[in-house]
Amino acid sequence: MANIAGFNRKLTSLLRRHELISAEELVRLSDQATADHKPLSSLIVEEDYLDELTILGLISEDCGMPTIDLDKLTIDTEQLKERNGGQESISESAAKRFLVMPLAICGEFLTLAVSDPYDVIALDDIKLQIGKKVLPVVSSERAIRKAIEVSFNAQQRQLDSFIDSIHDDADLTHKETSDNNEEEQDDDLLNASGKDSPAVKLVNMIIAQAIQQGASDIHIEPFERRTRIRLRVDGVLHEVMDAPKKLEAGIVSRIKIMTDTMNIAEKGKPQDGRFQMRYAGRSIDFRVNSLPTVHGEKVVMRLLDKGNLAGSLESLNFEPHNLNIVHRAIKAPFGMLLVTGPTGSGKSTTLYSCLQSVMTVEDNVSTVEEPVEYEIEGLNQVHVNPKRGLTFASALRALLRQDPDTIMIGEIRDSETVEIAVKAALTGHLVLSTLHTNDAPSTINRLIDMGVEPFLVANTVLAVLAQRLGRRLCKACKRQIEPDKLPSRDLLLETGFTAEEIDAGLQVFEPVGCSLCAGGYKGRFAMVEALEMSNALRSGIVKGISTIELRELAVQNGMITLRRAGLLQAMRGVTSIEEVERVTMGDES
């Protein structure tokens, strides 16, 4: 969009005339759009004031141009080129510069999707460049950018061309490992050094693709005849390519070189490392681990993007009941708040959001982590290093002599750490930490199994959050399930819906799939089970009741289970019933 300021002024005037957004909010949004140098329409959609179709309808009515839904179109740029005498109607660079997308050519006319129909100067420039009459139709900036990426797909063509240029014929049959380790190491170094080397180019492409797709992890997996590259997007792994087998050693060596701590000559034992890079103005940290397998070293890189770190607890979109529990816990002068769940369930994000809420100039807030995932200004963060004797336990002991108010422990793993954490919670400190348990009630018995006396658990634990991440339905293509196609009443009751909800008429959605998402899902949200300590629960813990009894008692006291939290989001159209069932277990209570 060449003239963002002009477009924003036009849209502001249009919205003010129709009074769809209050004057105060419109001024704030306009100022923010100007400061961020982005289209006002995109900001309005991001903050859920209006949807894309409403804005496009207003613009279409005002300028007299029809709208088009690019999400439902497949654009064949090669066919457009054929109809234009073998030449591109508009180059990819021009499409990105003007934020337009060619759709169809008929004789001397080119149908063109435009994001700013008010920019007549840009339209005149396009007419002069292509030598055709332009028939503009209105679409959104987001849809046009996505159409450009999907249709032109320059990065994928570059990658395919790069792979094809590497003749891998010699690797179609398995080769025995060379006995000449020095020569093999020299080859690895040669392939892994220099910005023009194949390994460097391929690693850069893989990382760029992972960042653009919003991946959380990159998996490089060696097999007998191929090297598979997979990305974890929204919690699910997707295979993106097979790298040339002969570049495998060079790829692994290149990644090790980037960390500055991993030994490229050591291939027989696991190694850890990390590095940081900037991409599109964002600082992204990478945590790297290598693991020897039968056919080579498997490497996994975890991407930690500070731009994705939630700033406040409200931005996590917890259920209001659960959010109130968290607020009460972190406002307590002492005690323990525990977050449980498997790896990748968002525990660290929740804890960092809690720390952001308690951080003030009056409080001394410190963390003990392995490793420090996000470096945050204002936090005293300690990186555990067992090789040098700096364990969770020893770091905690030192921290307690540093006059702390709030302590965050990355993970409670052993009895020594939990003993010190409980003592800290008893002596006037607020302690935040994580555990690996399946649900909130089982965390209580897990602490007891680790050697903490039941009466200490009852008196120190403020609340336990069990967390999972579910995939969000794509807003562009999700579809409501017709009432006659819903599962049977008995099956819905078994899933966790109440009879009242079923009788009132369930409105739930299912994934469809489009060019903007992965199988009908895009993005993730948190499902949280929050157990808040009460007198009844304390009494039950001291008496030694079982996890099942504890769970029943917690539900009676108002605990929203993981399954129930997911189903509430399904009824709001955030996710599907299938996704909730995938990441949660049925409630036995």
Side-chain angles (χ1 to χ4, degrees):
M1 192 177 292
N3 186 12
I4 292 179
F7 174 78
N8 287 349
R9 284 194 299 271
K10 281 280 190 180
L11 184 56
T12 300
S13 175
L14 193 58
L15 292 168
R16 188 179 292 118
R17 189 192 320 154
H18 287 271
E19 298 182 346
L20 293 175
I21 300 176
S22 67
E24 296 79 8
E25 286 300 306
L26 192 55
V27 170
R28 182 188 68 80
L29 289 167
S30 298
D31 291 343
Q32 186 177 338
T34 301
D36 296 344
H37 196 64
K38 68 187 299 184
L40 177 60
S41 55
S42 299
L43 188 60
I44 289 171
V45 172
E46 286 172 11
E47 299 200 6
D48 287 330
Y49 282 92
L50 298 171
D51 58 42
E52 258 184 19
L53 292 178
T54 301
I55 295 175
L56 291 179
L58 288 173
I59 296 173
S60 172
E61 182 183 1
D62 185 59
C63 67
M65 296 179 188
T67 62
I68 192 163
D69 187 355
L70 291 182
D71 296 340
K72 296 180 180 178
L73 290 181
T74 301
I75 303 164
D76 190 342
T77 52
E78 293 301 319
Q79 188 179 63
L80 288 177
K81 186 186 293 186
E82 290 177 10
R83 292 190 176 185
N84 198 39
Q87 295 182 343
E88 283 187 334
S89 54
I90 293 179
S91 67
E92 183 178 2
S93 60
K96 288 180 177 178
R97 185 168 71 254
F98 293 113
L99 264 186
V100 298
M101 185 67 209
L103 303 178
I105 292 177
C106 184
E108 293 300 313
F109 293 92
L110 170 67
T111 303
L112 192 70
V114 300
S115 57
D116 183 2
Y118 301 109
D119 194 348
V120 294
I121 296 176
L123 289 174
D124 286 341
D125 286 345
I126 293 170
K127 290 176 186 177
L128 290 173
Q129 286 185 22
I130 65 177
K132 290 186 178 294
K133 297 176 182 178
V134 173
L135 300 176
V137 292
V138 182
S139 189
S140 67
E141 179 210 16
R142 175 204 58 80
I144 289 177
R145 286 192 187 279
K146 186 65 179 182
I148 291 171
E149 178 186 339
V150 171
S151 301
F152 287 100
N153 212 359
Q155 182 185 0
Q156 187 61 45
R157 290 202 310 270
Q158 181 185 7
L159 180 59
D160 292 342
S161 175
F162 172 73
I163 297 296
D164 290 341
S165 69
I166 302 172
H167 300 293
D168 204 25
D169 296 338
D171 291 294
L172 293 177
T173 56
H174 176 60
K175 289 184 177 181
E176 296 295 332
T177 304
S178 171
D179 292 330
N180 191 339
N181 290 330
E182 291 184 5
E183 182 181 347
E184 185 178 340
Q185 182 178 333
D186 289 342
D187 288 342
D188 291 351
L189 285 168
L190 181 64
N191 285 337
S193 61
K195 65 180 182 179
D196 294 325
S197 71
V200 172
K201 287 181 179 179
L202 189 53
V203 169
N204 290 343
M205 287 181 184
I206 293 168
I207 290 175
Q209 187 172 353
I211 295 172
Q212 289 171 1
Q213 293 187 17
S216 60
D217 301 86
I218 301 171
H219 289 244
I220 299 170
E221 303 167 307
F223 297 104
E224 183 178 5
R225 301 176 187 276
R226 64 183 183 128
T227 304
R228 182 172 68 180
I229 312 295
R230 292 195 292 174
L231 304 180
R232 188 178 295 279
V233 181
D234 293 338
V236 178
L237 281 168
H238 301 273
E239 185 171 341
V240 293
M241 74 176 81
D242 280 342
K245 183 67 179 176
K246 68 180 181 182
L247 282 186
E248 179 187 296
I251 292 169
V252 174
S253 295
R254 170 59 184 170
I255 294 170
K256 288 181 177 180
I257 289 171
M258 293 172 75
T259 67
D260 281 337
T261 56
M262 299 173 75
N263 183 357
I264 65 170
E266 177 58 70
K267 301 178 183 180
K269 66 180 182 180
Q271 296 187 66
D272 291 295
R274 64 187 304 164
F275 64 92
Q276 187 179 81
M277 66 181 296
R278 294 189 65 81
Y279 183 87
R282 294 145 54 196
S283 179
I284 300 174
D285 291 321
F286 292 79
R287 277 166 43 190
V288 184
N289 176 266
S290 66
L291 177 70
T293 65
V294 174
H295 297 293
E297 289 184 274
K298 181 180 186 295
V299 175
V300 175
M301 293 187 281
R302 170 153 288 190
L303 285 69
L304 302 170
D305 187 352
K306 290 184 180 179
N308 295 332
L309 185 62
S312 66
L313 282 168
E314 284 70 22
S315 65
L316 298 176
N317 296 318
F318 286 179
E319 292 293 328
H321 174 74
N322 293 340
L323 185 61
N324 290 334
I325 290 174
V326 177
H327 276 302
R328 285 194 290 270
I330 62 177
K331 287 178 181 177
F334 59 88
M336 291 178 65
L337 171 65
L338 300 173
V339 184
T340 77
T343 301
S345 60
K347 300 188 299 294
S348 296
T349 300
T350 298
L351 285 181
Y352 279 123
S353 296
C354 290
L355 292 177
Q356 300 265 31
S357 297
V358 302
M359 271 197 323
T360 65
V361 292
E362 292 88 7
D363 290 329
N364 176 16
V365 183
S366 302
T367 74
V368 183
E369 305 170 69
E370 185 188 8
V372 173
E373 293 192 8
Y374 297 97
E375 295 179 10
I376 298 177
E377 181 72 24
L379 289 182
N380 302 297
Q381 296 173 275
V382 178
H383 185 120
V384 169
N385 189 344
K387 292 180 180 178
R388 297 187 177 182
L390 186 61
T391 62
F392 274 108
S394 62
L396 269 176
R397 287 195 189 93
L399 270 185
L400 290 175
R401 295 191 290 271
Q402 291 274 321
D403 186 31
D405 295 296
T406 301
I407 300 171
M408 192 268 270
I409 306 170
E411 183 182 347
I412 294 177
R413 298 178 180 175
D414 51 56
S415 57
E416 186 179 12
T417 303
V418 74
E419 179 184 353
I420 299 171
V422 168
K423 286 181 179 177
L426 282 171
T427 54
H429 304 93
L430 179 62
V431 178
L432 287 71
S433 189
T434 70
L435 275 172
H436 285 288
T437 57
N438 291 326
D439 56 21
S442 63
T443 304
I444 302 300
N445 284 332
R446 170 67 176 145
L447 291 172
I448 296 172
D449 290 343
M450 294 177 76
V452 183
E453 293 293 336
F455 75 91
L456 287 178
V457 174
N459 286 302
T460 56
V461 174
L462 300 167
V464 181
L465 307 182
Q467 186 165 312
R468 299 290 188 278
L469 291 181
R471 292 179 294 172
R472 289 180 178 272
L473 284 168
C474 174
K475 293 181 180 180
C477 66
K478 68 179 181 181
R479 179 174 58 206
Q480 184 174 342
I481 302 176
E482 297 296 330
D484 60 335
K485 295 183 179 178
L486 285 170
S488 67
R489 179 185 177 84
D490 290 342
L491 194 55
L492 289 172
L493 287 170
E494 185 181 333
T495 301
F497 293 103
T498 65
E500 292 78 9
E501 289 165 348
I502 298 170
D503 294 338
L506 279 179
Q507 290 187 344
V508 289
F509 293 77
E510 62 183 352
V512 177
C514 66
S515 61
L516 298 179
C517 62
Y521 295 96
K522 185 177 183 182
R524 291 196 284 179
F525 71 100
M527 288 176 261
V528 175
E529 177 178 276
L531 182 152
E532 185 175 27
M533 198 59 66
S534 65
N535 289 333
L537 287 171
R538 290 190 180 97
S539 176
I541 293 168
V542 172
K543 291 177 181 177
I545 64 175
S546 68
T547 299
I548 294 175
E549 293 172 312
L550 194 64
R551 182 178 184 81
E552 291 175 351
L553 188 57
V555 171
Q556 291 172 14
N557 287 350
M559 183 182 81
I560 300 174
T561 64
L562 274 170
R563 170 61 65 87
R564 185 66 186 159
L567 293 178
L568 289 172
Q569 295 287 18
M571 287 186 286
R572 296 182 184 122
V574 173
T575 190
S576 65
I577 297 174
E578 292 77 9
E579 179 65 9
V580 175
E581 292 179 324
R582 185 182 72 87
V583 296
T584 66
M585 292 190 297
D587 302 326
E588 298 177 1
S589 55

